[in-house]
Amino acid sequence: MLARLFTEQFSFSKGDSVVVVGLGRFGGSVAQSLMRLGHDVMGIDLDPEPVRHWAEELTHTIQANSTNAQVLRQLGVADFAHAIVGIGSDLAANLMTIMALTELGIKDIWVKATTPEHGQIAQRIGAHHVVYPEADMGERVAHQITGRMMDFIEFDDGFAIAKIHAPAATHDHALFESKVREKFGITVVGVKRANEDFQHATPSTKVQPGDLLIVSGPTRKIELFASSKRHKP
């Protein structure tokens, strides 16, 4: 799930090299997932324990001080296409690492932030993207608990792609009949029915109870659509 935050939201090309700084729970999980998706990953941490732990899982693991631009340059970090800063417990080290990566000219820097203030500072000093994994996971779990969304990915501008149970308002109607786009302001991208292949949605696609829908649109509008009930005749 964490790797999809990067590969689906701001599509890394397959095989792109990625350096992950900070191999704690967040950084280690992202690094491992990116490896499975076909990326070369260098993991860096000041603590030798996580470096040893991930040595067999990642392309390279190195114990080093990531706040020093010269050290990173010697490690060849300037040649990487993407950098992810997963340092969470040391704010100063997090921000100094961003500055070091910026000095090296890394063109795509991602940073884990714990607060909006942290995220704003990170962007001011060079981060291109800021993620709030705890907040993102909390929102995703909330949607799953309420049963409205099975999964979703939200973009920076409030636009999202989600997998939801077909709302009652769409049951036994073709999409052009239920007028999903006109009434709810979202787009049904595809339909998945039990024991059948995924199908791309067209205006004539008929939705049945129990179908799963892949939809796109503003997050709030998707939430309203997911909770919509059948309209009375």
Side-chain angles (χ1 to χ4, degrees):
M1 182 64 71
L2 290 172
R4 289 194 327 191
L5 201 60
F6 308 99
T7 58
E8 294 185 18
Q9 208 179 84
F10 287 90
S11 57
F12 287 12
S13 298
K14 186 175 178 61
D16 277 358
S17 57
V18 186
V19 58
V20 178
V21 183
L23 296 175
R25 183 171 57 181
F26 173 82
S29 178
V30 170
Q32 184 182 48
S33 298
L34 288 170
M35 285 289 296
R36 287 200 299 265
L37 292 171
H39 300 279
D40 290 323
V41 179
M42 173 189 285
I44 299 175
D45 202 294
L46 187 61
D47 185 345
E49 180 54 36
V51 172
R52 286 194 295 269
H53 176 79
W54 291 107
E56 299 299 319
E57 300 286 339
L58 309 182
T59 310
H60 303 288
T61 56
I62 299 172
Q63 180 186 358
N65 179 6
S66 62
T67 66
N68 188 316
Q70 186 57 34
V71 170
L72 296 182
R73 192 182 303 278
Q74 291 173 351
L75 295 176
V77 171
D79 296 328
F80 281 70
H82 311 275
I84 299 171
V85 181
I87 301 171
S89 59
D90 188 334
L91 178 60
N94 179 294
L95 297 176
M96 291 176 67
T97 296
I98 297 170
M99 295 173 64
L101 292 169
T102 301
E103 184 176 332
L104 265 58
I106 304 297
K107 299 186 181 302
D108 190 37
I109 301 173
W110 292 75
V111 177
K112 170 192 174 182
T114 54
T115 66
E117 292 77 15
H118 177 186
Q120 289 172 5
I121 295 171
Q123 289 183 305
R124 287 173 183 168
I125 63 176
H128 302 99
H129 310 291
V130 177
V131 296
Y132 302 90
E134 289 84 1
D136 290 342
M137 185 58 68
E139 186 173 359
R140 179 173 289 108
V141 170
H143 283 304
Q144 292 174 339
I145 289 173
T146 61
R148 294 183 179 181
M149 296 190 201
M150 300 178 67
D151 198 5
F152 78 106
I153 298 172
E154 186 173 31
F155 295 75
D156 285 345
D157 57 1
F159 184 89
I161 298 174
K163 178 170 67 175
I164 68 173
H165 296 285
T170 64
H171 292 176
D172 302 315
H173 292 292
L175 291 175
F176 79 88
E177 294 175 320
S178 53
K179 298 181 180 179
V180 170
R181 185 175 297 178
E182 294 87 341
K183 291 179 178 178
F184 298 97
I186 62 94
T187 299
V188 178
V189 178
V191 179
K192 179 66 175 72
R193 189 162 296 150
N195 302 317
E196 294 185 17
D197 293 335
F198 173 88
Q199 59 175 309
H200 291 283
T202 67
S204 61
T205 299
K206 189 171 183 177
V207 178
Q208 298 179 1
D211 285 351
L212 299 179
L213 305 182
I214 306 299
V215 300
S216 63
T219 304
R220 181 55 182 159
K221 291 185 177 181
I222 292 178
E223 291 171 342
L224 293 173
F225 174 61
S227 61
S228 61
K229 303 182 184 299
R230 184 185 297 275
H231 296 293
K232 295 181 180 180

